[in-house]
Amino acid sequence: MMMQQIDYKSMEAAPEKPIEGLSVAEVYEALKSSADGLTTEEAAARRTFFGENSIQKKKGKPLIWKFLANFTHLMAILLWIGGVVALMAQLPQLAIAIWLVNVINGLFSFWQEFQAEKAVEALGQLLPSYARVIRDGTEVKILAEELVPGDLIILAEGDRISADSRLVEDNDFRADQSVLTGESHPAHKTKEARHRTDLGRAEQPNLIFAGTNAASGACKAVVFATGMTTEFGKIADLTQNMVEVPSPLQIEMGRITRLVSAMAISMGIIFFVLAVLLAHVNVTESFIFAMGMIVAFIPEGLLPTVTLSLAMGVKRMAKRNALIKRLSAVETLGCTTVICTDKTGTLTQNEMTVSDCWMVNQQIKVTGVGYAPEGEMLSGDVPISLAENSDMRTLLVAASFCNNSRLLPPSPEVNHWNILGDPTEAALVVAARKGKIDLDQELKLSPRLRELPFESQRKRMTTIHKVAGERSDLEKLAYIKGAPKEVLDLCSYYLSNGEAVMMDGEIRKKIMGANDDYARKGLRVLAVAMRRLTTDMGLPERLSDYTPELIENDMIFLGLTVMADPPRVEVAAAVEKCHQAGIKIIMITGDYGLTAESIARRIGIIHGAQPRILTGVELDEINDADLKKALSEEIIFARVAPEQKLRVVSALQEMGNVVAVTGDGVNDSPALKKADIGIAMGISGTDVAKEAADMILTDDNFASIVNAVEEGRGVYNNIRKFATYILNSNVPEAVPFIVFLFAKGQIPLPLTVMQILAVDLGTDMIPAIALGVELPEEGVMQRPPRSRKEHLLNRPLLIRAFLFYGIMEGAIAMSAFFFLYWQNGWPGVPMADSGEIYRMATTMTLGAIVVTQIGIVFNCRTERASVFKVGLFSNHMILIGIVCELTVFSILVYTPFLHEIFNTAPIDLIDWAYLFMWVPVMILIDELRKAFLRYWDRRQSQRKTEMMKGES
């Protein structure tokens, strides 16, 4: 093979005939290789042309830009401008305070959300370090990254597959492709030329793929794709090219920022004009005055409070087994409308389990799920012992002997039962162990002599065992298991009470009828049979001469073993909660449609008689309009490829849905990235899925998603509560400026800008955060998801915050200001605009805002329900917040060096008494409002009921 004669570009181009449709000789020819592999020189030349067999990382956004993004979003920009405005208003201390808030909040957000984007690196980690290849006619071990198209690789059980390859030799080879396809059982692979148009690329029976595993058997294969051209590489490319879109909360915070900015600037302009024209204040002072109004209307505490509330939501979710990687994902969960979920390992346990053993004259149920050998055998509802049921014992011994898997007990490294080999075969071993069969002892008595391995044409395997029995003519026993029809065709007898009984047409029909019933339920069925090999059969002396044709006939049918990957116990209840919450669940799996439908029906995802089952091949054939129409109905997606899952998610988002996607495999990573919230499994999930996701379930429990959704909805409601709390104080902060303006200087300014900042960033912060830890309200999961069109700051909230709470607070604040002057001789004595009395008066204005906010924080805990019903002191964090705000206020009042900065002064006990008398007044007034709203709701409900009765 002369390397200068090879046209590598033609190798790189798509062949006229798919490689899976080529014969072995044609494969070697197409890839310019041979049974002796490549020469070292040729491999080096190809590596120069094709590059390394590795995942190439695209250059992402530099870390510095990710860092700066926390300081350049709209709300942050507004605060930077607020600081500049403060400087222009000759208030440098105010500017420093505002900027400090921005810096601290940005650093906190960056620290919370700083998760290195390792999805691509994780893909690379899945590729093994070394590979066995034939070079120059000799087997050698090389680094996996050195593989090139045309390399002949050698694989055996347990090996990781390093590149996409086409089989050219096989020995009962099976590949575990679950990380790529989502299938729970290994796929049998063959060297035969087959191109099935009804199957996706990953399902072709003669192709194997990078990053998957050799589950059993052995093979040789020729590499046809490396690096980014592999299926793994394509997934990496999809993942890297995903554009991150802002979450619903980020969009809403942007809207709030624009709204608040417009409001603050408008108020500043209006009061500047009024100050000049109405109060005849000079332009410079009017400008400073307008700047003060703008600062008053900017809710400096809103951004850090939202951030801290989300962070506390993250902490609560972590206690409920949900780790949040991106803060805004907390709230996104609350408005999720669709959950697209994988089946294997997410809804199911990813552990094949025998549920039934069917024999001609009996059916035995096997309890217990998973690989732990814990369970019992039931005939009806009655437990049985295999010592008393020889037919069942023979069936399980035969199924375990004709088997190449091993069951591994818990160890310090793995704290649960595990397996080596094919999960389907392992399920049979587990069933035998549940029946108290000592397989090690049985194999000592009847060791394996020969294996006729599984072949795709035969659809069965056979093992031959030595017999330690009393019959002198009985030399050996042959056990066979495989596809029911193929095994049944070889049987002339069936076992009944330990005896071989001649099989007739009725029995055959009965057996196939049972098989069909199980298959319709999406269950996996294997038939098991045996044959007694006696000395008079004229079998060859050498075991190596035994062939399927000689052994596999006149078999005795033993029974059918029925198995499935069982649903997780808690999933059905979680699915029901999702339905109550108005959340649609769509199963998207790499498994077969019937199996998927069976699981979906058992756990309540689907209820209709004929849900639509759309396969990957069918999905390729329909346009986006038809796909969206199908998505509006009950639907299951089966046998889908990663890019197809991505297409489904995109279609749902285009329909206006907020989409959550669950997954654990590499195949899920593009969809996890694309989704509004990606949810990965923490235990069974691959590193790729975890890195691509926004949330990780530490217990792999679908039910934890429901808890997270509940928390997400609670967080959104809490943000509304503390937004009301924070915004309403803007009115009492603005009223003093209005009074000063319209009094034309006759009344001194009742509140300074630094005092406003003391409220926004000091006294209000802890109580607002305390509202962020309110538990989700009762019935939050009985309501439909929040519409994306519903704004965080809607009209009822703004009316309540500004026109109800705000005006009350403003009036009380001004009354406190006048109360102090009244005690000092006003109106007989003019109001001092400087000195101790003036500072005491502004302190009273500030104190009134702080104290009335105590009443407001209790009022904001509920929208309609009485605060006494939820318990006035049930949120201990609020009590801590009240103590903190009073402490901050007291420090401002009684610390001498702060008096000049904040224009405060000590006040007397009578002043404190005047301030605190307003707390119960605020609570009782709002209780009257809530009582009226509850009464109104009842009246409206009664009217609707009466109207419905009248119509009927």
Side-chain angles (χ1 to χ4, degrees), residues 17-31 166-168 191-195 206 222:
K17 190 175 180 182
I19 195 165
E20 55 267 36
L22 303 179
S23 67
V24 170
E26 289 172 329
V27 169
Y28 282 131
E29 174 61 28
L31 294 166
R166 163 69 156 83
L167 268 66
V168 291
K191 66 180 180 181
E192 303 302 327
R194 292 182 187 176
H195 174 55
N206 52 18
V222 180

Side-chain angles (χ1 to χ4, degrees), residues 725 757-768 846 849-850 853 881 884-886 888-889 892:
Y725 175 78
L757 201 67
V759 173
D760 290 351
L761 298 179
T763 60
D764 268 3
M765 286 290 287
I766 305 300
L846 173 63
I849 295 173
V850 170
Q853 283 290 85
C884 288
E885 70 176 326
L886 290 175
V888 169
F889 178 63
L892 295 177

Side-chain angles (χ1 to χ4, degrees), residues 770-771 773-775 861 871-880:
L771 285 171
V773 301
E774 285 283 337
L775 295 175
R861 291 185 63 194
L872 198 63
F873 306 113
S874 57
N875 186 340
H876 301 301
M877 187 75 179
I878 282 181
L879 303 181
I880 294 170

